[in-house]
Amino acid sequence: MDQIIVSLMNGVIYGLLLFMVSAGLTLIFGMMGVLNFAHASFYMLGAYFAYTLQGVIGFWLALVVSPVLVGLVGVVVERFFLRRVHHHGHAHELLLTFGLSFIVAESIKLFFGNFPVDYRIPASLDVSAFSVGGAQYPLYRLLMGGIAIAMFVLIYLLLTHTRVGIVVRSAIYKPRMAEALGHNVPLVFMGVFGVGAALAGLAGAVAGAFYTTNPNMALELGVMVFVVVVVGGLGSLGGAMLASLLIGVVTSLAVAVDRSLADLFALFGAGDWATGVGGLMTLKVSSLSATIPFALMLLILLVRPSGLMGEKG
Amino acid sequence: MHQPKPLRLAIVPALALLCGIASAAPVKVGVLETLSGPQASSGQAYRAAVRYAIDQINAAGGWNGEPVQLLEYDNQGGPAGAADKLKAAAADGVQLIVQGASSAIGGQITEDVRKYNLRNPGKEMVYLNVGAEALELTGEKCNFHHFRFGGDPQVRTKALVGAMKQANALGTRVYAINQNYSWGQDMEKAIVDNAAAGGYQVVEKTLHDVNKVQDFAPYVAKIGASKADSVLTGNWSNDLLLLMKASKSAGLKARFGTVYLDQPGNLANAGDLAIGHFVVQTFNPEAGGAEGERFVNDYKAKTGHEPVFIEPQTVFGMAMVADALKRTKPENGALNVNAFAKALETTTIKTPMGEMSMRAADHQAQLPMVVSTVTKDARFKVDGTDMGFKPVKRFSAQEASTPAQASCAMKRPG
Amino acid sequence: MKTGLLLILAGVAALAALPFLLSQGLLNAAIQMLIAALFASAYNLLCGQAGMLSFGHAAYFGVGAFGTVHAMNAIGGAGLLPTPLMPLAGAACGLVFGAIAGWFATQRTGTYFAMITLAIAELVHSLAPHLKGLFGGEAGMSTMRMPAWGFDFGSTTQVYYLTLAWVLASVGLLYLFTRTPMGRLSYGLRENSHRLRFLGYNVHGLGMMVFAISAMFSGIAGGLQVVSNESANYVVFDPALSAAVVLNTYIGGVTMFLGPALGAALMTFFGYAVSDLTQSWLLYQGILFVGVMMFMPSGLTGLIGTTGRLRQRIGLSKLLPVVLLSIAAALLLSMGGTFAVELLQRVFSQDYRALARLDPGNPWPPVTLLSRAWSPASMATWAVPVVLIGAGAVLAWVGRRSLNQAVEQTVDQGAAT
């Protein structure tokens, strides 16, 4: 029982981390139709900026300044790169972001080296919050979850209860009309892109200390973020939250399940046959835990392509 | 710092060919490594060690009066790129291929070398494997023209278990967690095989996806629930680091026995949580005595950093190659690769860790091992931290050795 | 039309003569370039012609590769499927898997279609390491080319001619396909699929068939790679390969039929040649991608087309200086950029920093670049890339200005007459 509680909590926290990174991506995707392959690179940049700044201005200030820097990078990318290729179509924007992700990853390797860097949680935070079933639960995990939830609430309130939010939402839904009404839609695009990048940077700054900070961070998280955005629905913040939690919990709980399809067949007496067939039948769910999100993504795309909470269209 | 320029070196063999057959043909060594992309860190470490070793060979006079030439090829991170660059190396006249960073690429190279040698008798190549440790390379895929200078899962586990048992860190309940590919599966089998000798019971075995898992907390929860005394793992890079970080956060009391804890960056990243864990290494400067210190200082002077991780075993392996080269007489001014291979089979050298020799049955080097623990009172600090690896138990090559696999049916040239 | 045919014949003759002109190592690179060209042409059938951007095309390449390796191991190169016909196994596997995947994928359009193809490819990529019987674990599956039809297929030259024959035949078939009614209809899919539906065509079925045919030729390319490398590994399902084929296609240009083939050949050669020269070649590749997307959006063949049209508009005498200025600017910018990147890479490397720490009296030891020693502390070292990049930027600006002036002059002349 304790196991399940711990797994659930871990899954929720991992899901909240995924949400922090994918929130920006889903907003950008929904608004500009840009599949931003470089979004996970913003996550990585956030971690590296925080690592560099930590020695200079301390951990908490680094957590604040690093997302701002990444947001600036995002603004520059949108203004000087994406805007130029916007009229050539989605393929070009996408390939541009793909090239940018290469550039960011290789530049980081150039300046910081190929090995993981020493970005760690400060000792004051490296304590356990409480113990569950004989194991400790670290405080920093709760902090990560808290930051993610605070971020979600803040952005949700911003989008629904402020003027800026209304303008952004209308720019997502009907950009031409918003422009015709006199709003500076390109500025809105730039702002949303920057904020999206800043969110990913914050996620990187927070998570990089807990997990490892290495030049392959973007690759590790990259595809999972897309799965979250697709499953949740393009452009829907609530969908991104739901999808991240779902994927986080499923991945976490799957690790504890050491059964396979053959065991299912054994319930009906065909266990030996299934084991004999081998292949997919004898794969344990626990070793497939990283594959399940893709199966989920395929299922959603076939059954309900607009995602769990996206608009029908 | 000496950095040979591949382009310039590529022109030299072309000129050498033009100079006629009668003059001596220098030996060409090609290092075919992952020099770019996500796994570039290990490949570049291998390359640095090979450069150092070749410089040493040339400082001692080279071979047949000519310096040994080193050419570098980037396999672009995958077996397909390795196959391409191997063909390019063959076209450049390379006779000795050195690689170590990945068992997948090692598997590709050994097969490609075998097929090339079959099709081009008289122009054979030799694959010097300085680090790819999958068992099958000296098992089903064993091949007269492949020599392994690193360890393998059986040797590593035997040493690790022996030392941890002596240090009373093993306990009776052991948890085996490994990556789900050939290396990890071989490690799991070795951990199970050593249960009787180690006096423990493997309470649970887990295989997880390679380099995909970010959050090891669920696995740590499983380990905690199984009440294991110690955890034995062959994980490397992120998989090891994240596993240890997760176990520290959860307050897991089990002791870790690892193979790759000495990878650069691991101790700096792990911090104090690494203290008390074990790692089986092929070289530890504290265990190497005066010879070891001399080696470390010389390496540092020439390359800028101390030899860590896989660099020492590469240097020692290449020292065996140097010894075999010395004992191989030139034929028509060039190196007869089969004669070189036969000489390498009977090579024995002294390293700072002890005697190292080659086993002719499966071409697995018999090398000494040392098991160390992470502590603050080690003599040589690592990664700029205040911690280092202190040797716990040394194993001579004979003590560390495990028998050759029955699946190896080596076909020898006539 | 005549000149086009002559050019093609000349190209084929040049390709056939390559084994006599190139070393074995470069010949092997040529084989890889041909395979990449075929893969990109097959991809362009789906992407450029039918307008469906697929993100997981490496899956069909990989399925074809594994199908061929299993066939080679099972049949052994004699009897039913001699070695030269082995890629047919790859074609069959690609066709079947492509038909199944295509049926699912073509139910949606646009971004959703792309996401479905990505999901399918990632699913295969995730499952492949676990299905050892099919995909051979992480050392992959290995095989050997057996002699057939009097050849032993041991030398690179023979493999080259086999690959060349297959690639020429496949590209020819792809071209002929664009001339068939169904090929024409696939253009309709790109332009206006609603209209096609109203005209009574089964758009879903059509999309599925085009997908399957594209997957079939991708499978042939995968099979050819297996015949050349004699092994297949599940890393072929990596998303990087899917992304590479999309990039190659767009760099070559989707508007012309041979554009993607050209782009793929160039980028493969770039990777092959530059990866041995410098550690930062991936950075250069990324810069190249971004540069092409921003400044040459219609690809290389598009650039050739644009230059041709400009020549008609402003005449050769005005065009030539612009072209020369652009080439000079590009050269200077790349030289300056490369110099800066290589310098930075050496200065920031671990070994350099360790060496610098060793000797506190000399905090900036010199680095070696282009066989010379440069001191990072001196202004002269940094002045080199700055000057090169500055000169390149100036030339680019001058070239652009003269181009604009030339165009305005022709407009004025046209208005005056």
Side-chain angles (χ1 to χ4, degrees), chain B residues 86-95 111-126 145 335-338 413, chain C residues 24-25 144-145 152-159 228 230:
Chain B
L86 187 69
K87 294 190 186 130
D92 286 340
V94 168
Q95 293 169 299
E111 280 293 292
D112 280 352
V113 162
R114 181 179 69 85
K115 289 173 199 160
Y116 179 83
N117 291 346
L118 267 178
R119 293 186 170 128
N120 299 280
K123 289 192 275 181
E124 283 94 351
M125 296 167 78
V126 163
H145 293 96
L335 178 72
N336 179 328
V337 165
N338 284 348
Chain C
Q24 292 288 305
M144 204 151 166
R145 291 186 293 265
D152 69 351
F153 292 113
S155 73
T156 315
T157 314
Q158 289 181 2
V159 176
S228 161
E230 294 177 306

Side-chain angles (χ1 to χ4, degrees), chain A residues 29 35 81 84-85 88 91-92 94-96 98 106 110-111 230 280 283 287 291 294-295 297 301-302 305, chain C residues 55 104 108 111-112 115-116 122-123 126 130-131 243 246-247 250 282-283 286 290 293-294 297 345 348 353:
Chain A
F29 207 157
L35 206 54
F81 292 93
R84 281 193 68 137
V85 292
H88 291 303
H92 283 84
L94 194 137
L95 295 174
L96 185 78
F98 188 71
E106 287 299 311
L110 197 107
F111 289 111
V230 168
L280 266 176
L283 283 178
S287 53
T291 311
F294 299 116
M297 179 175 165
L301 279 170
L302 293 174
Chain C
F55 278 146
F104 284 109
R108 313 278 173 212
T111 322
Y112 295 115
M115 293 279 98
I116 293 180
E122 272 301 305
L123 203 55
S126 276
H130 298 291
L131 297 171
V246 182
L247 275 156
Y250 276 91
L282 281 173
L283 179 60
V290 170
M293 286 302 129
M294 283 177 61
Q345 189 252 317
F348 279 96
R353 281 191 277 193

Side-chain angles (χ1 to χ4, degrees), chain C residues 7 21 41 118 164 175 270 280 312 328 336 348 353 375 393 400:
Chain C
L7 273 175
L21 303 168
S41 302
L118 179 68
L164 184 66
Y175 184 71
F270 178 81
S280 324
Q312 284 175 343
F348 279 96
R353 281 191 277 193
S375 166
R400 171 152 281 239

Side-chain angles (χ1 to χ4, degrees), chain B residues 79-83 87 104 107-109 111-112 115 141, chain C residues 61 65-66 68-69 72-73 139-145 222-234 236:
Chain B
K87 294 190 186 130
Q108 173 81 28
I109 294 181
E111 280 293 292
D112 280 352
K115 289 173 199 160
K141 290 206 170 129
Chain C
F61 183 90
F66 278 103
T68 312
V69 87
M72 279 174 84
N73 279 335
M141 304 208 62
S142 159
T143 180
M144 204 151 166
R145 291 186 293 265
L224 283 172
Q225 195 185 57
V226 165
V227 169
S228 161
N229 284 350
E230 294 177 306
S231 74
N233 192 301
Y234 65 67
V236 78

Side-chain angles (χ1 to χ4, degrees), chain B residues 180-221:
Chain B
N180 196 359
Y181 77 113
S182 63
W183 159 258
Q185 289 155 358
D186 290 342
M187 274 299 294
E188 191 180 77
K189 182 163 180 305
I191 293 172
V192 169
D193 287 346
N194 275 287
Y200 58 80
Q201 173 207 11
V202 178
V203 292
E204 212 176 313
K205 311 178 286 194
T206 302
L207 292 172
H208 64 81
D209 280 316
V210 185
N211 264 335
K212 278 209 166 79
V213 181
Q214 275 279 54
D215 193 10
F216 273 87
Y219 296 97
V220 169

Side-chain angles (χ1 to χ4, degrees), chain A residues 150-218:
Chain A
M151 211 188 76
F152 174 59
V153 166
L154 208 68
I155 294 185
Y156 186 74
L157 287 178
L158 208 73
L159 279 182
T160 50
H161 284 71
T162 65
R163 268 199 60 127
V164 176
I166 293 177
V167 173
V168 168
R169 277 194 298 151
S170 59
I172 292 177
Y173 201 48
K174 295 259 182 253
R176 294 281 152 101
M177 196 60 199
E179 202 163 11
L181 285 172
H183 295 291
N184 190 351
V185 172
L187 188 66
V188 171
F189 277 18
M190 207 162 77
V192 173
F193 202 93
V195 169
L199 289 176
L202 178 64
V206 169
F210 190 70
Y211 299 121
T212 56
T213 303
N214 64 343
N216 299 329
M217 282 168 91

Side-chain angles (χ1 to χ4, degrees), chain C residues 324-338 388 392 395:
Chain C
L324 287 174
L325 278 172
S326 316
I327 294 179
L331 272 174
L332 283 175
L333 283 171
S334 21
M335 276 173 19
T338 316
L388 284 173
L395 282 184

Side-chain angles (χ1 to χ4, degrees), chain B residues 318-403:
Chain B
M318 294 304 290
M320 287 182 78
V321 169
D323 182 85
L325 273 178
K326 262 204 292 265
R327 295 186 287 126
T328 310
K329 298 276 168 286
E331 289 175 28
N332 293 328
L335 178 72
N336 179 328
V337 165
N338 284 348
F340 164 75
K342 292 211 178 89
L344 190 52
E345 275 189 322
T346 57
T347 300
T348 304
I349 61 167
K350 275 197 76 54
T351 72
M353 292 295 301
E355 202 177 78
M356 185 171 162
S357 62
M358 180 59 66
R359 178 162 66 192
D362 60 350
H363 286 188
Q364 166 68 47
Q366 306 297 294
L367 59 159
M369 290 276 170
V370 57
V371 177
S372 319
T373 185
V374 180
T375 156
K376 288 209 179 176
D377 54 37
R379 266 188 61 204
F380 292 84
K381 309 288 184 213
V382 165
D383 276 355
T385 64
D386 57 353
M387 301 176 288
F389 296 103
K390 194 179 169 71
V392 167
K393 187 168 163 68
R394 291 174 60 162
F395 295 84
S396 74
Q398 255 163 324
E399 289 165 348
S401 170
T402 56

